[in-house]
Amino acid sequence: MTLHAYLVEDSPVIRENLVDFLEDVIDAHVIASASTADEALEWLRDHKSDWDLAIVDLFLQRGNGLAVLNACRQRSPHQKVVVLSNYATADMRLRSQQLGADAFFDKSAELDQLVAYCATVRPSHG
């Protein structure tokens, strides 16, 4: 079954590459994306149950991914939120976990781990 993924990433090039990667490698369908925290928060508010996996970058055009993580705290148990960032410090990993991230991956070095993680996420639809 295809995962419904929501992507929060401000770089158009990275966003496009991630969409292709997710759809080709993970059998995910990126149903929407945002480049600012406000866009992400609005979409999440209006589409509470439409996604299985949210992939969030920490640094956005406006705002940051930490606000998005915080907004995802009231999600359904099957919905998973992961951080995908170049800023993979121990402090950021801990802060993301404290805000409810299910996993944290370094954009430049941990895409294989992201693929493995996505294989464990169960779609909610049939």
Side-chain angles (χ1 to χ4, degrees), residues 6-124:
Y6 180 57
L7 184 57
V8 183
E9 167 62 58
D10 65 332
S11 165
V13 171
I14 293 172
R15 190 169 52 243
E16 185 177 315
N17 288 337
L18 273 174
V19 168
D20 290 344
F21 174 79
L22 291 168
E23 292 184 350
D24 293 345
V25 177
I26 301 171
D27 189 30
H29 173 64
V30 178
I31 56 174
S33 64
S35 58
T36 69
D38 287 344
E39 286 174 7
L41 296 174
E42 182 179 338
W43 189 91
L44 287 164
R45 186 175 53 248
D46 294 343
H47 300 89
K48 290 187 188 316
S49 62
D50 294 348
W51 55 278
D52 302 308
L53 175 67
I55 300 174
V56 181
D57 188 11
L58 292 176
F59 294 101
L60 304 172
Q61 282 179 1
R62 287 190 313 280
N64 62 61
L66 297 176
V68 178
L69 290 178
N70 195 45
C72 289
R73 291 183 103 143
Q74 302 302 315
R75 65 189 179 270
S76 298
H78 81 275
Q79 293 174 308
K80 302 300 179 191
V81 179
V82 300
V83 173
L84 183 63
S85 177
N86 284 324
Y87 197 65
T89 65
D91 286 346
M92 277 288 131
R93 288 177 188 268
L94 177 61
R95 184 75 179 119
S96 296
Q97 182 182 21
Q98 290 169 338
L99 287 172
D102 295 295
F104 190 114
F105 302 102
D106 184 330
K107 241 185 234 183
S108 60
E110 297 178 340
L111 288 181
D112 288 346
Q113 290 95 320
L114 173 63
V115 170
Y117 179 83
C118 289
T120 71
V121 178
R122 300 238 177 237
S124 64

